[in-house]
Amino acid sequence: MRLRNDEEGNNPDTPEHDSTRVALRIDADLTVELQTNTSGNSKPKRRTQHTKRFKIFGTLQDVFDAHKIYQTSGMIPEQALALFALSTIDAVLTLHSCGVVHNNIGLDSFLVVKDLDNSNSSWFLQLIGFGDKSIILNCDKDVCGESHYDQDYFDLANVLHILLTGGIEVSLKTLPCG
């Protein structure tokens, strides 16, 4: 895949442009290598290359199901639950700070990924599954209000509740008044 960034429009005759080349390789064991090469004719000339390697272990749903099948004792360890909880909250808050609403968050909306280039064996969650329910807001949070994010917050609470209780989903029903 090749991306062009022309500061003076999309004129192919413009001699000064920067380009970024992105290469993505996924092995059979779900090891992902992402390589970006940036070169530019703009002044000063620059050429940079970055390579990141990740190992995808599946979704949170896969981790939860595997634990239920292979568990030797009790619940998922508290340290892992704390990492999952903080990571899911951080991902949703970051998403909302960009004005994006997911509208369909579940355990299968988070990939569990290990950064193979980090010597600390760093694990993180990657929010996925942006389908036709997702929307990009075209206004500030103050103008749009919080109501656009309500479904995401409910879904996030449900994900956390499932993880903390071992599989019990939250069900909110509207009770009749009076």
Side-chain angles (χ1 to χ4, degrees):
M1 171 169 52
R2 190 164 174 84
L3 306 172
R4 272 186 67 178
N5 176 16
D6 294 338
E7 292 181 12
E8 298 176 12
N10 290 327
N11 184 352
D13 298 327
T14 305
E16 305 245 345
H17 70 276
D18 294 339
S19 64
T20 300
R21 185 170 151 73
V22 178
L24 181 67
R25 187 183 60 140
I26 303 175
D27 295 337
D29 66 348
L30 292 182
T31 300
V32 177
E33 184 175 308
L34 176 67
Q35 185 175 30
T36 59
N37 292 307
T38 304
S39 62
N41 294 330
S42 58
K43 297 177 183 146
K45 286 189 175 185
R46 67 181 194 276
R47 182 171 183 85
T48 58
Q49 180 176 348
H50 301 283
T51 302
K52 292 292 289 179
R53 294 179 327 116
F54 304 101
K55 173 78 174 177
I56 299 173
F57 285 88
T59 65
L60 268 181
Q61 182 69 57
D62 297 331
V63 171
F64 187 75
D65 291 344
H67 181 74
K68 284 170 58 174
I69 292 170
Y70 300 110
Q71 71 179 347
T72 55
S73 64
M75 301 284 291
I76 296 174
E78 285 182 26
Q79 289 178 327
L81 286 175
L83 173 69
F84 292 154
L86 292 174
S87 296
T88 57
I89 292 167
D90 183 53
V92 172
L93 290 176
T94 301
L95 183 72
H96 290 173
S97 72
C98 296
V100 178
V101 184
H102 193 284
N103 275 330
N104 194 21
I105 296 173
L107 288 174
D108 58 347
S109 299
F110 295 95
L111 280 180
V112 179
V113 182
K114 182 177 183 180
D115 184 350
L116 297 176
D117 294 332
N118 188 334
S119 62
N120 295 336
S121 297
S122 137
W123 293 82
F124 63 93
L125 296 181
Q126 179 67 49
L127 188 57
I128 61 169
F130 296 92
D132 58 350
K133 292 182 179 182
S134 298
I135 58 174
I136 298 174
L137 299 176
N138 218 3
C139 53
D140 290 339
K141 202 172 190 178
D142 298 333
V143 176
C144 287
E146 291 288 325
S147 63
H148 292 289
Y149 303 110
D150 288 349
Q151 185 63 45
D152 281 358
Y153 293 137
F154 173 76
D155 291 345
L156 178 60
N158 196 33
V159 165
L160 296 174
H161 192 265
I162 290 169
L163 289 172
L164 293 173
T165 62
I168 301 170
E169 288 194 43
V170 176
S171 176
L172 294 179
K173 296 182 181 178
T174 306
L175 299 174
C177 295

